[in-house]
């Protein structure tokens, strides 16, 4: 790509498409207010408004001006936003009354996320999100910038070289892609309970919107519909079947939105991922930014041999799931291939496994689950003696869960890394290279101190790894091993 087209030492403006996106966001944020006004006018059907329609028009215009004033800073920021690269630093100027200048050294940039919606594709632009290790949030967000200009900036920032050398790009090798049959497997093995709860939450929020906009008592309407519904065995069975298929369909849609046409290419510096259905997204992963990796599978995915691989990056916002780098692994050899640059030899392949103390499996049941079950059983018994079955069932579930969690918690460690396997009904593996550890903490409760046990925490810039209920000697050895790697390797 020629570098003479754009001189990044000269501050660059946003694309005019960004203004359309800002206006669209303002409308999206403000539609409940406008809809409430329109809904009230329709329902009330006031005769005064009919005789003097200009009153309603001025009222709507006044509300529109108010909305624009509230979002005035976003509109002004579009015209004043400038971005440039000078002396190895990314510089962003923005703001009107309260001006801000953000300066980021290029070598501190952790990742660059490229997003293309349909509007971006039609206008040959894209959105850029630039993240660093210094904060959990997205450091810089560029709503719309020319695609060719964005690609040049991405190369310039990611590879940390002068623009004149960008033509010597590294060879890209595709190592995985998601096919349609893989999407079907992922949809079938989705967490359908979570999907069903999302559907319920969405339906409830929409009912509340109807209540606020039109003033209708949605709870009363729902009760009336339930009273009129057929609650026979066949009616309930039909309702369950319909709910099951709706849940499957929503799960399939979620999988398509998340993994459609996902592909991963590799070069010497890291990986590049591309995916998207309604909008195309690209994200580059530099190996030296990876803090630890994990892979997990629920009960169904474990049977199907599917794992979800996640890279924990420096400065990543752990709350924003959409920003997490997660890859569906359909074949075991891909897992080793993707983890190879981070850790060539896994501790589980050449060291003996170790388990935590047995009290990890029963302590929470004895000290927490049993008292809660006993206290809750009393009002259930007074209500109906047969209802005591429910707290007993919950107690049994918690007791089994805690014991299975203890049985599954296994760890291995070598001179350079530690690997942990844990879970209850599913399974999760964590692989941590000791030279990524920022600091180590050893904690103990009175119960643990009585048995010479502690919990060791290995803190990285991306996530904290915990090994609970191990001996003090073992924890101290792990801490010394981690700190030794940080100091000398």
């Amino acid at each position: 790509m020629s570098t003479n087209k754009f001189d990044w030492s000269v501050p660059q403006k946003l694309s005019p498409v960004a203004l359309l996106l800002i206006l669209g966001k303002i409308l999206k944020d403000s539609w409940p207010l406008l809809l409430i006004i329109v809904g009230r006018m329709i329902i009330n059907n006031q005769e005064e408004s009919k005789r003097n329609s200009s009153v309603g028009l001025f009222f709507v215009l006044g509300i529109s001006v108010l909305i624009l004033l509230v979002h005035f800073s976003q509109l002004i920021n579009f015209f004043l936003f400038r971005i440039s690269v000078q002396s190895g630093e990314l510089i962003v100027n923005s703001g009107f009354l309260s001006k801000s200048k953000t300066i980021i050294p290029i070598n501190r940039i952790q990742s660059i996320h490229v997003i293309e919606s349909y509007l971006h594709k039609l206008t040959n632009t894209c959105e850029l999100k630039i993240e660093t290790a210094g904060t959990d949030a997205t450091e810089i967000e560029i709503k719309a910038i020319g695609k060719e200009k964005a690609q040049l900036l991405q190369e310039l920032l990611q590879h940390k070289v002068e623009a004149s050398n960008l033509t010597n790009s590294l060879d890209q090798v595709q190592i995985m892609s998601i096919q349609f049959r893989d999407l079907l497997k992922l949809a079938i093995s989705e967490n359908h309970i979570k999907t069903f709860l999302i559907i319920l939450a969405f339906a409830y929020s929409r009912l509340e919107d109807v209540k606020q906009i039109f003033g209708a008592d949605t709870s009363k309407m729902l009760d009336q519909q339930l009273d009129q519904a057929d609650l026979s065995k066949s009616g309930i069975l039909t309702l369950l079947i319909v709910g099951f298929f709706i849940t499957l369909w929503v799960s399939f849609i979620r999988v398509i939105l998340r993994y459609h046409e996902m592909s991963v290419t590799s070069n010497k510096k890291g990986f590049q991922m591309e995916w998207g259905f309604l909008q195309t997204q690209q994200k580059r992963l530099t190996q030296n930014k990876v803090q630890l990796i994990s892979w997990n599978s629920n009960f169904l995915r474990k049977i199907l041999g599917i794992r979800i691989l996640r890279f924990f990056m420096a400065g990543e916002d752990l709350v924003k799931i959409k920003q997490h780098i997660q890859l569906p692994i359909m074949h075991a050899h891909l897992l080793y291939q993707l983890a190879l640059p981070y850790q060539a030899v896994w501790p589980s392949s050449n060291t003996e496994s170790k388990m935590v103390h047995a009290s990890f499996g029963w302590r929470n049941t004895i000290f927490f689950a049993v008292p809660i079950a006993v206290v809750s059983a009393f009002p259930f018994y007074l209500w109906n003696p047969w209802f005591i079955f429910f707290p007993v069932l919950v107690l049994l579930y918690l007791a089994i869960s805690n014991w299975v969690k203890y049985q599954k918690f296994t760890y291995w460690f070598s001179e350079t890394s530690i690997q942990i396997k844990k879970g209850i009904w599913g399974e999760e593996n964590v692989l941590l290279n000791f030279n990524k550890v920022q600091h180590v903490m050893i904690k103990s409760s009175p119960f643990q101190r009585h048995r010479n046990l502690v919990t060791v925490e290995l803190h990285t810039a991306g996530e904290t790894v915990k090994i609970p209920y191990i001996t003090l000697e073992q924890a101290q050895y792990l801490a010394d091993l981690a700190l030794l790697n940080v100091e000398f390797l």
Side-chain angles (χ1 to χ4, degrees), residues 443-461:
K443 298 181 177 181
S444 62
S445 64
F447 175 85
Q448 289 177 317
R449 287 193 293 271
H450 181 68
R451 288 166 170 76
N452 194 36
L453 300 173
V454 296
T455 295
V456 62
E457 296 182 355
L458 305 174
H459 292 259
T460 72

Side-chain angles (χ1 to χ4, degrees), residues 318-333:
L318 300 178
V319 178
K320 295 183 179 180
I321 300 177
K322 291 184 178 180
Q323 296 182 7
H324 297 170
I325 301 176
Q326 301 184 78
L327 301 176
I329 306 300
M330 314 304 292
H331 306 285
H333 73 275

Side-chain angles (χ1 to χ4, degrees), residues 181-248:
R181 62 177 180 272
D182 299 328
L183 291 176
L184 289 177
K185 288 182 179 179
L186 288 167
I188 292 171
S189 59
E190 265 287 280
N191 187 340
H192 300 300
I193 296 177
K194 180 180 178 181
T195 302
F196 181 70
L197 292 176
I198 291 175
I199 294 173
L200 288 182
F202 176 80
Y204 179 77
S205 63
R206 297 289 75 80
L207 288 175
E208 288 297 312
D209 288 343
V210 172
K211 182 177 180 180
Q212 293 178 10
I213 294 171
F214 299 106
D217 190 347
T218 53
S219 300
K220 185 177 180 180
M221 293 169 56
L222 189 61
D223 290 338
Q224 291 176 352
Q225 293 297 321
L226 288 175
D227 291 338
Q228 297 174 4
D230 180 13
L231 295 180
S232 62
K233 291 183 179 180
S234 59
I236 294 175
L237 181 60
T238 302
L239 186 63
L240 291 175
I241 293 174
V242 171
F244 174 73
F245 279 103
I246 291 176
T247 302
L248 281 179

Side-chain angles (χ1 to χ4, degrees), residues 375-418:
V375 171
S376 61
F378 183 70
F380 272 104
Y381 181 80
L382 293 179
W383 187 13
N384 189 322
W386 287 101
F387 287 174
I388 200 174
F389 171 77
F390 293 106
V392 172
L393 189 63
V394 171
L395 175 60
L396 183 62
Y397 172 80
L398 292 176
I400 295 175
S401 298
N402 288 330
W403 189 252
V404 171
K405 182 169 66 173
Y406 154 69
Q407 290 288 339
K408 281 195 174 183
F409 200 104
T410 311
Y411 66 100
W412 305 260
F413 63 89
S414 63
E415 296 296 321
T416 59
S417 60
I418 184 170

